[in-house]
PDB file of all heavy atoms in Angstrom:
ATOM      1  N   GLU M 119     -10.675   9.512   6.202  1.00 97.00           N
ATOM      2  CA  GLU M 119     -11.557   8.612   6.945  1.00 97.00           C
ATOM      3  C   GLU M 119     -12.985   8.684   6.422  1.00 97.00           C
ATOM      4  O   GLU M 119     -13.648   7.656   6.230  1.00 97.00           O
ATOM      5  CB  GLU M 119     -11.541   8.966   8.438  1.00 97.00           C
ATOM      6  CG  GLU M 119     -12.454   8.095   9.276  1.00 97.00           C
ATOM      7  CD  GLU M 119     -12.402   8.429  10.765  1.00 97.00           C
ATOM      8  OE1 GLU M 119     -11.586   9.283  11.152  1.00 97.00           O
ATOM      9  OE2 GLU M 119     -13.175   7.837  11.530  1.00 97.00           O
ATOM     10  N   ALA M 120     -13.451   9.900   6.155  1.00 98.00           N
ATOM     11  CA  ALA M 120     -14.822  10.073   5.661  1.00 98.00           C
ATOM     12  C   ALA M 120     -15.005   9.383   4.311  1.00 98.00           C
ATOM     13  O   ALA M 120     -16.052   8.764   4.059  1.00 98.00           O
ATOM     14  CB  ALA M 120     -15.149  11.561   5.549  1.00 98.00           C
ATOM     15  N   GLN M 121     -14.000   9.457   3.452  1.00 98.00           N
ATOM     16  CA  GLN M 121     -14.128   8.833   2.135  1.00 98.00           C
ATOM     17  C   GLN M 121     -14.076   7.305   2.221  1.00 98.00           C
ATOM     18  O   GLN M 121     -14.770   6.607   1.483  1.00 98.00           O
ATOM     19  CB  GLN M 121     -13.041   9.350   1.204  1.00 98.00           C
ATOM     20  CG  GLN M 121     -13.253  10.797   0.771  1.00 98.00           C
ATOM     21  CD  GLN M 121     -12.461  11.160  -0.466  1.00 98.00           C
ATOM     22  OE1 GLN M 121     -12.244  10.339  -1.348  1.00 98.00           O
ATOM     23  NE2 GLN M 121     -12.017  12.398  -0.533  1.00 98.00           N
ATOM     24  N   ILE M 122     -13.254   6.777   3.121  1.00 98.00           N
ATOM     25  CA  ILE M 122     -13.192   5.322   3.294  1.00 98.00           C
ATOM     26  C   ILE M 122     -14.527   4.796   3.809  1.00 98.00           C
ATOM     27  O   ILE M 122     -15.083   3.821   3.279  1.00 98.00           O
ATOM     28  CB  ILE M 122     -12.049   4.934   4.258  1.00 98.00           C
ATOM     29  CG1 ILE M 122     -10.687   5.265   3.642  1.00 98.00           C
ATOM     30  CG2 ILE M 122     -12.124   3.439   4.598  1.00 98.00           C
ATOM     31  CD1 ILE M 122      -9.518   5.060   4.589  1.00 98.00           C
ATOM     32  N   LEU M 123     -15.057   5.434   4.842  1.00 97.00           N
ATOM     33  CA  LEU M 123     -16.337   4.990   5.403  1.00 97.00           C
ATOM     34  C   LEU M 123     -17.479   5.231   4.412  1.00 97.00           C
ATOM     35  O   LEU M 123     -18.414   4.424   4.331  1.00 97.00           O
ATOM     36  CB  LEU M 123     -16.602   5.705   6.714  1.00 97.00           C
ATOM     37  CG  LEU M 123     -15.616   5.380   7.859  1.00 97.00           C
ATOM     38  CD1 LEU M 123     -15.947   6.201   9.104  1.00 97.00           C
ATOM     39  CD2 LEU M 123     -15.608   3.889   8.179  1.00 97.00           C
ATOM     40  N   GLY M 124     -17.382   6.313   3.653  1.00 97.00           N
ATOM     41  CA  GLY M 124     -18.389   6.573   2.626  1.00 97.00           C
ATOM     42  C   GLY M 124     -18.390   5.506   1.548  1.00 97.00           C
ATOM     43  O   GLY M 124     -19.447   5.090   1.062  1.00 97.00           O
ATOM     44  N   ALA M 125     -17.198   5.020   1.189  1.00 97.00           N
ATOM     45  CA  ALA M 125     -17.110   3.949   0.190  1.00 97.00           C
ATOM     46  C   ALA M 125     -17.721   2.664   0.729  1.00 97.00           C
ATOM     47  O   ALA M 125     -18.383   1.919  -0.006  1.00 97.00           O
ATOM     48  CB  ALA M 125     -15.655   3.719  -0.197  1.00 97.00           C
ATOM     49  N   TYR M 126     -17.515   2.411   2.024  1.00 97.00           N
ATOM     50  CA  TYR M 126     -18.146   1.236   2.637  1.00 97.00           C
ATOM     51  C   TYR M 126     -19.667   1.373   2.589  1.00 97.00           C
ATOM     52  O   TYR M 126     -20.381   0.425   2.251  1.00 97.00           O
ATOM     53  CB  TYR M 126     -17.691   1.064   4.086  1.00 97.00           C
ATOM     54  CG  TYR M 126     -18.432  -0.042   4.804  1.00 97.00           C
ATOM     55  CD1 TYR M 126     -17.948  -1.342   4.773  1.00 97.00           C
ATOM     56  CD2 TYR M 126     -19.639   0.195   5.466  1.00 97.00           C
ATOM     57  CE1 TYR M 126     -18.639  -2.379   5.394  1.00 97.00           C
ATOM     58  CE2 TYR M 126     -20.340  -0.824   6.086  1.00 97.00           C
ATOM     59  CZ  TYR M 126     -19.834  -2.112   6.053  1.00 97.00           C
ATOM     60  OH  TYR M 126     -20.527  -3.128   6.658  1.00 97.00           O
ATOM     61  N   ASP M 127     -20.178   2.563   2.929  1.00 97.00           N
ATOM     62  CA  ASP M 127     -21.626   2.777   2.924  1.00 97.00           C
ATOM     63  C   ASP M 127     -22.200   2.598   1.520  1.00 97.00           C
ATOM     64  O   ASP M 127     -23.289   2.024   1.354  1.00 97.00           O
ATOM     65  CB  ASP M 127     -21.945   4.178   3.451  1.00 97.00           C
ATOM     66  CG  ASP M 127     -21.586   4.333   4.931  1.00 97.00           C
ATOM     67  OD1 ASP M 127     -21.483   3.310   5.636  1.00 97.00           O
ATOM     68  OD2 ASP M 127     -21.382   5.481   5.367  1.00 97.00           O
ATOM     69  N   ASP M 128     -21.484   3.077   0.511  1.00 96.00           N
ATOM     70  CA  ASP M 128     -21.923   2.895  -0.876  1.00 96.00           C
ATOM     71  C   ASP M 128     -21.971   1.409  -1.230  1.00 96.00           C
ATOM     72  O   ASP M 128     -22.905   0.943  -1.888  1.00 96.00           O
ATOM     73  CB  ASP M 128     -20.968   3.613  -1.835  1.00 96.00           C
ATOM     74  CG  ASP M 128     -21.083   5.127  -1.745  1.00 96.00           C
ATOM     75  OD1 ASP M 128     -22.106   5.625  -1.217  1.00 96.00           O
ATOM     76  OD2 ASP M 128     -20.132   5.810  -2.189  1.00 96.00           O
TER      77      ASP M 128
END
Side-chain angles (χ1 to χ4, degrees):
E119 179 178 355
Q121 289 199 33
I122 294 173
L123 295 178
Y126 174 90
D127 294 339
D128 290 342

